[in-house]
Amino acid sequence: MTLNCDGIEELSAATIAEMKTTNVWNESCPVGLERLRTVTFKYVDFEGQTHFNGRIVVLDVVAEDTAHIFRTLYDRQFPIAQAQPIETYQGNDELSMAANNTVCFNCRQITGGGAPSIHSYGLAIDINPLQNPFMAPKKSQETTQAQVVVMPAAGINYLNRTHVRPGMVENEGIREIFYQYGFKVWGGGWNDPIDWHHFQPSRAMAQLLAAMTPEDGRILFKLYCRESTLLDAVDAKQNQLVSWYQHSPQKFMVVLQETPTILTLSPAEAYKRFEQAIL
């Protein structure tokens, strides 16, 4: 196990074995185990006690930014119930939420099925699910009455987001911390579902980071932290940026670094720049 810097480690053999056993990671996942890192951090709980065993598994590219997020949350004395990798709960997202567990990597589909969740890339952080629950319409053919599903169930006591209490992301400046370090998409801004505990970069960004080398990905992510217009607008179902990078990583990075405004362009404008340089 190689220590890269304080609080950031490659996955241990024991962690890898547990992730495989619990199916938290498998061969179909969009990123390999070698691309994942464990970030260890200290946090304060809801009783004001400091803990030094917070652990979260993330993509290598965002490990340092993740460490900065939790260091800042600790400095702000923002309370966290606990933070342990999802394999602690056998990869069961509902069990993890019920335990009010803060987590990141879990190779699974989005809730309801379909595309891989951004958790599958190690790029989505769920924080304090009890204070920041998940809510979605309950679809049923048996009744026409409006119903919703709240997870965890006890999170129903936190649906009034104007009544801000400890551990809620609406506390002053908390969402901005995640935005500053590249987790710019907040599930609390969605309509269906509403996922108040969830922060991530865009799906197009996740796809591109997974295709890149860690070195190239870090360069891109630093740019994305400052300006995300392009990658927030790219259609993830037709992400031509991934194709351009795979065709010629070196030329792609030249365009990225020599065109300071590239991430401010529309997808059509950016694609034209990359096509001219790469083909």
Side-chain angles (χ1 to χ4, degrees):
M1 183 169 61
T2 302
L3 185 66
N4 295 320
C5 63
D6 290 344
I8 301 175
E9 298 177 326
E10 295 179 0
L11 301 184
S12 67
T15 296
I16 290 173
E18 190 173 14
M19 290 174 73
K20 290 181 176 180
T21 299
T22 57
N23 203 37
V24 168
W25 182 91
N26 58 67
E27 295 291 343
S28 68
C29 297
V31 295
L33 289 164
E34 76 285 351
R35 293 293 311 274
L36 299 175
R37 297 291 181 270
T38 298
V39 178
T40 304
F41 56 91
K42 62 181 178 179
Y43 65 93
V44 62
D45 66 19
F46 285 82
E47 285 71 49
Q49 299 296 312
T50 297
H51 299 259
F52 297 88
N53 64 341
R55 291 191 301 140
I56 194 166
V57 175
V58 301
L59 187 69
D60 49 11
V61 169
V62 303
E64 290 186 13
D65 294 276
T66 301
H68 283 302
I69 287 172
F70 286 99
R71 190 176 303 124
T72 305
L73 293 178
Y74 177 79
D75 290 343
R76 298 275 188 92
Q77 293 292 280
F78 177 80
I80 294 173
Q82 65 169 330
Q84 293 299 313
I86 195 71
E87 55 266 24
T88 305
Y89 296 92
Q90 296 78 50
N92 189 311
D93 195 46
E94 291 188 23
L95 289 177
S96 181
M97 284 193 287
N100 204 13
N101 187 47
T102 292
V103 73
C104 180
F105 182 80
N106 186 13
C107 188
R108 61 174 177 80
Q109 292 180 323
I110 59 175
T111 301
S117 166
I118 303 302
H119 288 286
S120 301
Y121 295 85
L123 287 169
I125 297 176
D126 289 349
I127 187 161
N128 288 342
L130 173 60
Q131 288 76 23
N132 305 286
F134 170 97
M135 184 176 74
K138 183 178 181 180
K139 301 175 177 64
S140 173
Q141 296 179 345
E142 299 176 0
T143 177
T144 58
Q145 292 183 332
Q147 295 178 310
V148 295
V149 174
V150 178
M151 296 190 292
I156 196 170
N157 296 314
Y158 289 88
L159 296 187
N160 181 357
R161 306 310 290 180
T162 64
H163 180 198
V164 180
R165 285 154 281 174
M168 293 172 62
V169 297
E170 282 83 359
N171 277 280
E172 186 175 354
I174 299 303
R175 283 178 292 172
E176 287 71 22
I177 294 169
F178 283 90
Y179 297 168
Q180 177 185 353
Y181 290 105
F183 292 81
K184 298 187 175 189
V185 179
W186 177 45
W190 299 339
N191 289 322
D192 179 10
I194 302 173
D195 201 352
W196 283 294
H197 57 246
H198 181 98
F199 291 89
Q200 64 170 71
S202 70
R203 178 171 293 276
M205 182 61 171
Q207 294 170 338
L208 189 51
L209 289 177
M212 287 179 144
T213 65
E215 295 76 16
D216 289 348
R218 289 187 186 95
I219 292 171
L220 174 62
F221 197 68
K222 286 182 179 179
L223 295 173
Y224 179 81
C225 286
R226 297 197 295 266
E227 174 55 63
S228 61
T229 299
L230 170 61
L231 283 154
D232 288 346
V234 166
D235 182 356
K237 295 180 180 179
Q238 299 176 339
N239 191 347
Q240 186 64 40
L241 293 176
V242 172
S243 299
W244 293 137
Y245 179 82
Q246 292 173 332
H247 185 82
S248 179
Q250 184 176 9
K251 290 181 179 179
F252 184 98
M253 294 306 295
V254 168
V255 175
L256 186 66
Q257 294 176 281
E258 292 187 353
T259 311
T261 61
I262 193 73
L263 296 189
T264 69
L265 302 180
S266 69
E269 293 171 320
Y271 285 173
K272 185 175 181 180
R273 296 280 186 95
F274 283 111
E275 182 177 14
Q276 290 172 342
I278 292 173
L279 297 184

